[in-house]
Amino acid sequence: MLHSLAARLNRLRDTGQIGEAITAELRGLIDYHNCRLFQLQPDGETLMPVAFRGELTEYQGETFEALLTRVGEGITGHVAESGCSYYTPDAGRDPHAVVVPGTPEIDESILAVPLRYGERTTGVIVLSKLGLDQFDQDDMKLLEVLASHAAVAIENAHLLQAEREATAKYRALVDFSPDAILVQVDGRLVFANPAAAQLLAATYPEDLVDLDALDIVHPDDRQQAHERIRILAEHRQAVPTCQERFLRLDGTVVEVEVTGMPLTYGGRPAGQLVARDITERKRAEEERAQAWKAKEEAMRRLKALDTMKNTFLEAVSHDLRTPLTVVLGNALTLARDEVSLSRDEERILMDRIVANARKLDRLLTDLLDLDRLSRGVIEARRQPTDLSGLIRRVVEECDAKDGYSVAVQAEEVTAMVDGPKVERIVDNLLRNCLRHTPPGTSIFVRLTTSPEGALIAVEDEGPGVPAELREAIFEPFRQGPSSAAHSPGVGIGLSLVARFTELHGGHAWVEEREGGGASFRVLLPTNPER
């Protein structure tokens, strides 16, 4: 359902429709009594409700104006200001809550999650429910994933609006460009529009009628103008655009671009001149270029958003659906009374449920960590850590190494690092090698020291990583060309490796292993100050 809701959000083109879709369908994922979607206004201070859905009689009198709030005020404003999710099991006693005089006191739980687009907070989703402590961490994780989709969808709608505005501006520049139009018959002017009168400093367009067509041209350019008149009259052919100098009625000179085309005026062969002041044209072209640039930028960002959305959905949908299918199938089997299972068979089914539930938890944890890292809300909590023991424990506890040969060579090293994050680094590197090599492949995990710090290397005898992909492979949702069909992965494990390593002041890279295969390496400075 989350997948279908996310896909629907990205098809909507209006922020109000997006808000209504979220508030209407979110209840199918999280039970709530009240849902509000706020959007940060351009002033950066006001949170305007985009959508509001509630069932509590105490809230029936609320309107969008009553829900208007400011950044930093109340629970909603606190989340908008901090950019972090917030849960209060007892809103009535929460330090950030704003008590409205005259409203009844009720026991209520509130869960609020920010809408984040890149480094910006663009809004807040707020859920409330009667009773104390009615939401849990799973609700928060689910709402955070949905909030990321909603932020992209709302930004998508804003970009579409920007594109429409840029297009309208471009059309206005084209449709209302001040072109001077003159018609000549037998070398004399017979028609002029208001723009021509303005261009040539005439009070009225009629002041130009019956003038010799060459009288408005600078003497040095009259030979070119005479040739234009001849071609229009005799050959009935269009004359390519050229630059000339026109003499205005007040004696001043203006440089123009002139285009000539044949036509019939009053049943007689005539020539139409379209003249434009080059200064105005340059100004208009500059504005058009800016409008085009804005439109192209909007299109580029739309394309990037669409590519990111498709990549994300393609990458995550498989890894969500597969373990969910296994969990659901095994749970349904255990729940059927007519199926008689032995204790060993029940244990096998339960083990499968647990293993796939852990896969789901690991995937959601990775996604949320990647989001928090991109927002800079995760820091390294350094403590003295036995890296050798840590690495051996991670390898021993890895549940995906069956059928592989994993050898560990680790020097005794104690370093000031964030132990849980280093565990994630080693676990992700190990699982990456297991995922991209066939069963039976030898995996080598090594820990050595150097003057720069502790060097962790996880190597395999697989096909390796092409040189042109060795940097991009650490980007989110990027995978190597040898992804195994049986375990395609999401493509964020190595991205987390790089980000967690950077938190420690180190760096991660991949190179060719001596003898063939890939050698993924992480350098962790053992001296934090260094």
Side-chain angles (χ1 to χ4, degrees), residues 199-276:
L199 177 67
L200 294 171
T203 305
Y204 303 103
E206 292 77 8
D207 295 339
L208 300 175
V209 174
D210 206 34
L211 289 178
D212 190 307
L214 293 179
D215 287 345
I216 64 171
V217 180
H218 191 278
D220 293 343
D221 295 334
R222 285 178 182 171
Q223 182 60 39
Q224 176 178 284
H226 183 273
E227 182 65 16
R228 180 185 66 243
I229 294 173
R230 186 187 69 81
I231 293 174
L232 290 173
E234 297 179 6
H235 299 283
R236 312 297 295 158
Q237 295 178 355
V239 178
T241 300
C242 61
Q243 292 186 9
E244 291 181 0
R245 286 167 292 177
F246 275 8
L247 283 176
R248 309 176 79 204
L249 298 188
D250 60 4
T252 60
V253 177
V254 59
E255 292 191 6
V256 296
E257 260 189 359
V258 181
T259 301
M261 61 193 71
L263 52 78
T264 300
Y265 187 84
R268 303 171 62 185
Q272 175 179 283
L273 303 181
V274 179
R276 180 179 299 174

Side-chain angles (χ1 to χ4, degrees), residues 54-107:
E55 292 182 355
L56 298 179
T57 56
E58 288 83 358
Y59 290 94
Q60 291 302 308
E62 286 191 342
T63 64
F64 277 20
E65 291 75 13
L67 292 173
L68 190 70
T69 186
R70 296 183 65 81
V71 174
E73 296 179 0
I75 294 175
T76 303
H78 170 67
V79 172
E81 184 177 61
S82 66
C84 300
S85 301
Y86 187 81
Y87 171 53
T88 172
D90 186 357
R93 295 174 175 81
D94 191 274
H96 298 290
V98 175
V99 179
V100 179
T103 58
E105 294 184 5
I106 58 174
D107 292 334

Side-chain angles (χ1 to χ4, degrees), residues 118-226:
E119 298 296 324
R120 296 183 292 112
T121 296
T122 61
V124 181
I125 298 179
V126 182
L127 300 183
S128 61
K129 191 174 181 181
L130 282 180
L132 302 179
D133 201 14
Q134 295 296 307
F135 299 104
D136 56 24
Q137 286 298 317
D138 290 338
D139 294 332
M140 180 177 288
K141 289 182 179 180
L142 185 59
L143 192 58
E144 286 175 341
V145 173
L146 177 60
S148 67
H149 286 291
V152 172
I154 291 175
E155 186 70 14
N156 196 344
H158 289 165
L159 290 175
L160 285 172
Q161 179 62 28
E163 180 191 2
R164 286 192 292 265
E165 292 175 356
T167 301
K169 182 177 180 181
Y170 171 73
R171 289 189 60 84
L173 289 171
V174 172
D175 294 342
F176 301 99
S177 183
D179 291 335
I181 299 178
L182 300 161
V183 179
Q184 61 186 29
V185 176
D186 295 335
R188 305 194 72 81
L189 299 180
V190 297
F191 171 83
N193 68 348
Q198 181 179 1
L199 177 67
L200 294 171
T203 305
Y204 303 103
E206 292 77 8
D207 295 339
L208 300 175
V209 174
D210 206 34
L211 289 178
D212 190 307
L214 293 179
D215 287 345
I216 64 171
V217 180
H218 191 278
D220 293 343
D221 295 334
R222 285 178 182 171
Q223 182 60 39
Q224 176 178 284
H226 183 273

Side-chain angles (χ1 to χ4, degrees), residues 426-442:
V426 177
D427 186 66
N428 284 353
L429 288 176
L430 179 58
R431 291 179 183 276
N432 177 74
C433 289
L434 297 173
R435 183 180 297 118
H436 292 277
T437 56
T441 304
S442 295

Side-chain angles (χ1 to χ4, degrees), residues 493-511:
L494 292 181
S495 176
L496 289 174
V497 168
R499 302 288 182 87
F500 284 148
T501 304
E502 290 168 1
L503 283 179
H504 287 82
H507 66 282
W509 73 98
V510 60
E511 60 186 45

Side-chain angles (χ1 to χ4, degrees), residues 158-389:
H158 289 165
L159 290 175
L160 285 172
Q161 179 62 28
E163 180 191 2
R164 286 192 292 265
E165 292 175 356
T167 301
K169 182 177 180 181
Y170 171 73
R171 289 189 60 84
L173 289 171
V174 172
D175 294 342
F176 301 99
S177 183
D179 291 335
I181 299 178
L182 300 161
V183 179
Q184 61 186 29
V185 176
D186 295 335
R188 305 194 72 81
L189 299 180
V190 297
F191 171 83
N193 68 348
Q198 181 179 1
L199 177 67
L200 294 171
T203 305
Y204 303 103
E206 292 77 8
D207 295 339
L208 300 175
V209 174
D210 206 34
L211 289 178
D212 190 307
L214 293 179
D215 287 345
I216 64 171
V217 180
H218 191 278
D220 293 343
D221 295 334
R222 285 178 182 171
Q223 182 60 39
Q224 176 178 284
H226 183 273
E227 182 65 16
R228 180 185 66 243
I229 294 173
R230 186 187 69 81
I231 293 174
L232 290 173
E234 297 179 6
H235 299 283
R236 312 297 295 158
Q237 295 178 355
V239 178
T241 300
C242 61
Q243 292 186 9
E244 291 181 0
R245 286 167 292 177
F246 275 8
L247 283 176
R248 309 176 79 204
L249 298 188
D250 60 4
T252 60
V253 177
V254 59
E255 292 191 6
V256 296
E257 260 189 359
V258 181
T259 301
M261 61 193 71
L263 52 78
T264 300
Y265 187 84
R268 303 171 62 185
Q272 175 179 283
L273 303 181
V274 179
R276 180 179 299 174
D277 187 331
I278 291 178
T279 302
E280 291 299 315
R281 184 209 66 184
K282 289 181 178 179
R283 179 190 63 79
E285 285 181 348
E286 182 178 350
E287 292 187 8
R288 265 202 310 273
Q290 292 175 353
W292 269 111
K293 185 177 180 181
K295 181 178 179 179
E296 290 174 350
E297 176 63 16
M299 292 298 296
R300 183 192 67 79
R301 294 178 64 187
L302 277 174
K303 185 177 180 181
L305 280 172
D306 189 63
T307 300
M308 181 181 69
K309 174 201 69 177
N310 292 335
T311 302
F312 176 82
L313 291 177
E314 290 173 3
V316 175
S317 61
H318 179 278
D319 275 34
L320 280 174
R321 187 179 300 276
T322 300
L324 276 175
T325 301
V326 175
V327 170
L328 181 59
N330 288 316
L332 289 174
T333 301
L334 289 171
R336 292 176 62 183
D337 294 334
E338 65 272 20
V339 177
S340 178
L341 299 173
S342 67
R343 182 174 298 276
D344 289 341
E345 290 172 331
E346 289 180 351
R347 183 180 299 279
I348 291 174
L349 294 180
M350 289 300 298
D351 288 345
R352 291 176 181 172
I353 291 175
V354 171
N356 283 275
R358 286 174 176 169
K359 288 182 181 179
L360 284 172
D361 180 70
R362 187 161 51 245
L363 172 60
L364 290 175
T365 299
D366 284 350
L367 290 172
L368 294 174
D369 281 347
L370 186 61
D371 175 66
R372 295 189 184 103
L373 284 165
S374 67
R375 292 187 281 117
V377 297
I378 294 182
E379 298 179 353
R381 299 180 178 179
R382 302 174 184 269
Q383 292 182 347
T385 303
D386 177 9
L387 291 181
S388 174

